[in-house]
Amino acid sequence: MLQGITQSFGAAICMLSRNHLTDRVIHRSKRMMLDTLGVGLLGTRTAVFKKALEYSKCYKSSEQSSIWGKSGTKLPPQYAAFVNGVAVHSMDFDDTWHPATHPSGAVLPVVLSLAEVLPKRPSGLDLLLAFNVGIEVQGRLLKFSREALNIPRRFHPPTVVGVMGSAAASAKLLGLSPSQCTHALAIAASSAGAPMANAATQTKPLHIGNAARRGLEAAQLAWMGLEGNPDILDMESGFGVFFTEYNPSALGDLKTGDFNWTLENQNVAVKRFPAHLGMHWVVEAALAAKTELKHKKGSDNFDLDQITRVTLLVPSSKYINCPFPATEHQARHSFQFNACSALLDGGVTVESFSQGQIHRPALRELLSKVKVLSPEDNHPSFDKMYCHAVIETEQGDSYEGKCDTFYGHWRKPLSQDDLERKFNANASTVLSSEGVEGIVDVIENMDRIRDTSTLGLYLNMTS
């Protein structure tokens, strides 16, 4: 009897073992975990996280999981996953994959929340396996459509594939059968999808939190015997509703060795400042143009008031073309804001998105001089796009900078030192030095530790 596509996913989720993990996949997923914990800890200082936490406190359960960076605060595992997921994406500082999605934020909060309430604490390798199962399912689903290769226009990808990855990771930790894993995916699909119109608002971080929570709930319902359509991935009226040109394929036969991790060949991008990934091309291009200006002028003291125009050649994407952002979330999705911040300050940081920085007169003046163009050859894809920045001055001179691969992109990954430096800067805003150092040590040795409960202890060593 031929196995359907959805059944192939269910079988793989069940059958994948620690022996399938490769050295490269373990290495890359450790980096993803560390970065995600850092941005999640930093995210606990945001308004959207605080609102999500306050809302979730009304839910009670005999099973309780920890909230990162909040010693003594626990919630039912579904809501701990929700709140921690919101924290991860609250500043748009989390990793990004190709085809486009934020893969880790929908999975790591679930894996850690569920691990706390299992009768037997999973080992580090168990956590790595469940995490990678959740990442793999997302990567496979994103390959079902050519539409997914481009910057999204209709649905926010973590709400589509993230909830499926969460369900898969949860099913793996819960030890579900192939049939139950299949039904977990079917149930999760009915919680998938959120419109891109809520990008650049406080609601966008909820997308990650909801994906985490609802994926866990789907796996738990499947464990209880609830069923969905076992062909949900096979059908255009199933998972195909989220993509045009839907062309699904089976995950592979583990018995014949016909399996390769997507993460093995496709690394993730790690952000150096908290904004939409497209902003990282713009910032590097703007800084390159500014460097050329300084070099040709022979001085670092050029008056930016002499700039008459800043032209940005970027892909066409309406939701990240925001000429005069009024909020931090709009600023994180504004080509214009990030280019001007880089020109004024020599870079973009966490502080760049404070209200004081957003509304300063010098920035608003420079924003009025920005023109955005979208050449036909500049594809709206995180794998192919570029940014070309041109500065024109009162003297009639022009200075240019171009970026086709920023530092942190999967083609140009952060060094381990810079990745840990980012984590330390983020985590130390919440945790003590002992907590920060402890997390780095646990993640570094994740594939060798038998009891992962120490990670939860370090995540609550607040400063």
Side-chain angles (χ1 to χ4, degrees), residues 307-354:
I307 294 177
T308 56
R309 176 175 290 180
V310 177
T311 302
L312 302 175
L313 284 75
V314 294
S316 176
S317 183
K318 291 182 179 179
Y319 87 98
I320 47 178
N321 182 355
C322 184
F324 293 96
T327 69
E328 62 169 297
H329 297 283
Q330 290 176 352
R332 298 184 201 281
H333 295 75
S334 168
F335 284 132
Q336 297 89 335
F337 174 86
N338 287 275
C340 291
S341 293
L343 291 174
L344 285 172
D345 306 326
V348 176
T349 67
V350 171
E351 289 73 25
S352 299
F353 301 95
S354 66

Side-chain angles (χ1 to χ4, degrees), residues 30 34 420 438-448:
K30 283 180 181 179
L34 187 66
E420 291 186 13
I439 292 172
V440 173
D441 182 65
V442 170
I443 297 298
E444 182 180 348
N445 294 287
M446 182 64 77
D447 52 330
R448 293 182 287 273

